[in-house]
Amino acid sequence: MRPVIITANWKMNTTPADAGPLAADIAKATDVAGITRIICPPYTNISAVSDAVEGTGVLVGAQNVHAEPKGAYTGEVSADMLKGLVSWCIIGHSERRRDQFESDELVGQKTIRLVEAGISPMMCCGEQLEEREAGSAVATVQAQVKASLETIMAAGNGLPADLVIAYEPVWAIGTGKTATGADAAEMADAIRATIADVGGADYAESVPVLYGGSVTADSFAEFINEPSIDGALIGGAGLKPDQMAGIAATAAEAAAARANS
Ligand code: PGA
């Protein structure tokens, strides 16, 4: 059975001074049974967050990693640098695809680095509004996932056992608009079909697919009530302990229902 996962992506928010107290508040607010909780602070606040959540069960992730193992890449952070500091890392977030022009192949390379370092990859994908309106959302997202997975396969070590995919329609990120649960579930099924093409049906069934894009305590139920969706990647609401409390409570209910079915 796939885990139910809620991940807070703090983006470029918090400081070393306020990240620890916020993480401690979120850990307390989300202390429910049966789900996986991850907080992804900025690099500079990883150690403050790790200290604050020690013993709570909350896992810590990074928001990005460089695609090369080491070298002359001023200002960048490698997978080896993150080893021991985080257990998860987001890759291919649409804000990085937009601002740093990250390609699907680069996202695949980053995944390879994470696997080498023993860090679990959370790979983002999602269509633009024009692609949704043109009816090409599914094809766009399938092409993203396929290209990244094929890059990983070409390295010769197969696909990561701990891969998670976060489907985040770009037009839903930070806008207050969400996909419908039905559209997100259709996309999760399409993503798994693509994963199955590359890595086989059993593997595809094992990969959690999260929804992201303006998830709140109010909207989360619509997504987690879809059997093909396994949790959320949460931006704005991930900085708010009361919102995270509501999301965690709904996640715990879903996890319990799945365990009993
Ligand atoms: P949002 O961000 O919840 O603020 O829309 C989600 C994300 O970008 O991961």
Side-chain angles (χ1 to χ4, degrees), residues 10 13-25 27 39-56 58-61 85-86:
W10 283 1
N13 296 294
T14 70
T15 67
D18 60 29
L22 177 60
D25 285 350
I39 297 177
C40 301
Y43 290 135
T44 52
N45 306 344
I46 285 172
S47 56
V49 168
S50 295
D51 290 348
V53 302
E54 205 184 327
T56 65
V58 170
L59 304 173
V60 182
L85 295 183
V86 299

Side-chain angles (χ1 to χ4, degrees), residues 60-207:
V60 182
Q63 299 174 13
N64 177 45
V65 68
H66 200 268
E68 294 297 329
K70 63 176 180 176
Y73 302 100
T74 303
E76 296 292 341
V77 171
S78 73
D80 268 358
M81 294 174 187
L82 292 171
K83 196 173 179 170
L85 295 183
V86 299
S87 45
W88 284 90
C89 184
I90 297 169
I91 38 176
H93 191 282
S94 66
E95 287 154 11
R96 295 199 59 85
R97 292 177 186 259
R98 177 194 68 199
D99 299 338
Q100 278 78 31
F101 313 108
E102 293 194 359
S103 67
D104 304 323
E105 290 73 18
L106 188 81
V107 173
Q109 292 293 346
K110 290 181 177 210
T111 311
I112 294 166
R113 296 286 96 78
L114 292 175
V115 170
E116 288 165 355
I119 298 168
S120 302
M122 186 173 292
M123 184 191 287
C124 303
C125 56
E127 82 283 359
Q128 307 280 340
L129 184 60
E130 308 81 71
E131 290 159 340
R132 165 78 42 192
E133 286 175 347
S136 58
V138 167
T140 299
V141 171
Q142 285 188 315
Q144 289 173 339
V145 172
K146 187 162 193 273
S148 296
L149 296 187
E150 284 180 343
T151 300
I152 300 166
M153 285 300 271
N157 294 317
L159 296 174
D162 46 3
L163 178 70
V164 167
I165 303 279
Y167 165 58
E168 301 199 296
V170 178
W171 48 270
I173 295 178
T175 59
K177 291 182 202 144
T178 62
T180 63
D183 281 350
E186 183 198 5
M187 192 64 87
D189 291 341
I191 288 168
R192 283 209 184 84
T194 297
I195 299 172
D197 282 347
V198 182
D202 289 347
Y203 174 73
E205 268 308 298
S206 76
V207 176

